[in-house]
Amino acid sequence: MDSTRRGLLAAGAVGGLSSLAGCLGAFGGSDGALEGDGGGRGLQLVLSDAPTPLRSGYVVDFAETERPDDRAAFEAALAGEHYTSRHRTPFGARPDDPKYVRHEGTYYRLGHVVVNERAVTHPVVRLFEVADADDGGAPEAVDADALSEADRTAVHVAHMAARARENEGGVPWGAVQRGGFVFRDAADIAESRLVGEDAPSHVVYRETVYELAVRRERFYESVYRATVEPVAESPERMETILRAQFVDARLSGGDLSGQARSLLRDAMGEGYAESHPVSEPYRTVLTRLHARAYLDGDIEKDAYVEDPGVGMALYDGSYYRYRLRFVDRG
């Protein structure tokens, strides 16, 4: 079964800029601009590696997944049974990040459909800063390090929400909800010291004393039913399906000039940039990436398109994520 890796197609995310092997070769010695290129605002191309083959990024191995319920969801759906969940979608699949699994030689696409809605009540933990921990007048508080792992997670997330209220840091909206942390797991709630009747009034976290506020609130959550659909009977067909779905452009080193290939080598590091009007090699690369709208140097005034300048390219048998953006070149 193909190994599990995350799909690298989140909109606008470039991912890690690790060294690219294969047809792009080693890093070039160019400073990112062809001779004679001017300054000012530049158009930058950044390349990063993508799963090669694509199956290694989208085919799930249930033995390695961090989602233990996925195997049960798959087996139930494959047997024609209804497997449902609330809040947490089966398989974690999204339209821009589909998941597949190989079972007995057949590849299946994993997904879900919304089949209902449930009104449920969950405790919401919020923190409000009141004093420094070494302040002699600080109220008595429980140390967060003495709490269970689930409670420590709740305190950490609620702390970030409290910090964001004071405009002192960002907030991870995937974790923070309703200005705090939402307890959804029944076992965690039963064992929690934060949401019980004898919950402390204050908690110490990172040398700060916070007032603990817990409120049970109503949530309306979608009910999801897991779905599986056979799509391929061979690795080659599965790769063809993924390539058809995600590859925006195809390039061949044999059809590019030496300057264009050097440009691509530079793009895999910190990025390659030129100011408008761009050189002929850069025009060639942009054209092969089907990014012709950038050639007039005024795409920011063009009609809106979703995720402009972001996509995936197949270059001499390897896949690369690319991103185009305007940068200030001083």
Side-chain angles (χ1 to χ4, degrees), residues 20-261:
L20 302 181
C23 60
L24 289 185
F27 277 30
S30 171
D31 62 358
L34 296 180
E35 183 178 356
D37 180 45
R41 189 181 74 158
L43 176 62
Q44 182 187 58
L45 170 65
V46 177
L47 288 175
S48 57
D49 60 343
T52 302
L54 291 174
R55 298 189 309 278
S56 64
Y58 295 99
V59 178
V60 175
D61 185 342
F62 287 140
E64 299 179 5
T65 181
E66 297 177 357
R67 302 170 57 91
D69 295 336
D70 284 355
R71 179 183 288 277
F74 173 74
E75 292 176 349
L78 193 62
E81 302 172 2
H82 286 185
Y83 184 98
T84 60
S85 63
R86 283 187 291 108
H87 180 64
R88 183 181 173 95
T89 59
F91 314 119
R94 306 188 309 269
D96 64 339
D97 186 18
K99 298 293 188 296
Y100 299 85
V101 69
R102 189 181 187 186
H103 176 69
E104 295 182 352
T106 298
Y107 288 89
Y108 295 85
R109 177 165 179 149
L110 310 176
H112 62 267
V113 294
V114 177
V115 295
N116 206 344
E117 178 188 72
R118 296 284 174 82
V120 294
T121 301
H122 295 305
V124 182
V125 176
R126 300 182 180 92
L127 297 179
F128 298 90
E129 182 177 343
V130 295
D132 293 333
D134 56 2
D135 188 338
E140 184 178 352
V142 64
D143 192 331
D145 290 338
L147 300 174
S148 67
E149 180 179 355
D151 279 354
R152 292 197 303 271
T153 298
V155 169
H156 175 65
V157 172
H159 145 78
M160 289 189 287
R163 182 186 62 182
R165 294 189 207 110
E166 303 299 326
N167 297 319
E168 294 182 1
V171 54
W173 292 114
V176 172
Q177 296 179 5
R178 300 197 181 185
F181 178 84
V182 180
F183 269 103
R184 285 188 164 85
D185 186 271
D188 288 342
I189 294 173
E191 297 177 1
S192 174
R193 290 181 58 189
L194 301 179
V195 301
E197 295 181 358
D198 58 347
S201 60
H202 295 80
V203 61
V204 177
Y205 184 70
R206 294 188 177 179
E207 302 180 351
T208 301
V209 178
Y210 292 94
E211 179 185 357
L212 176 66
V214 180
R215 181 179 176 180
R216 295 182 180 272
E217 300 183 6
R218 180 63 60 93
F219 290 77
Y220 293 90
E221 297 180 347
S222 300
V223 177
Y224 304 97
R225 186 181 75 228
T227 62
V228 300
E229 181 180 1
V231 294
E233 297 293 336
S234 69
E236 294 76 17
R237 176 56 64 86
M238 185 71 257
E239 193 69 17
T240 298
I241 291 171
L242 292 170
R243 188 167 58 244
Q245 184 170 1
F246 293 116
V247 172
D248 305 290
R250 307 185 188 210
L251 300 86
S252 171
D255 296 334
L256 298 173
S257 68
Q259 285 183 311
R261 293 194 299 270

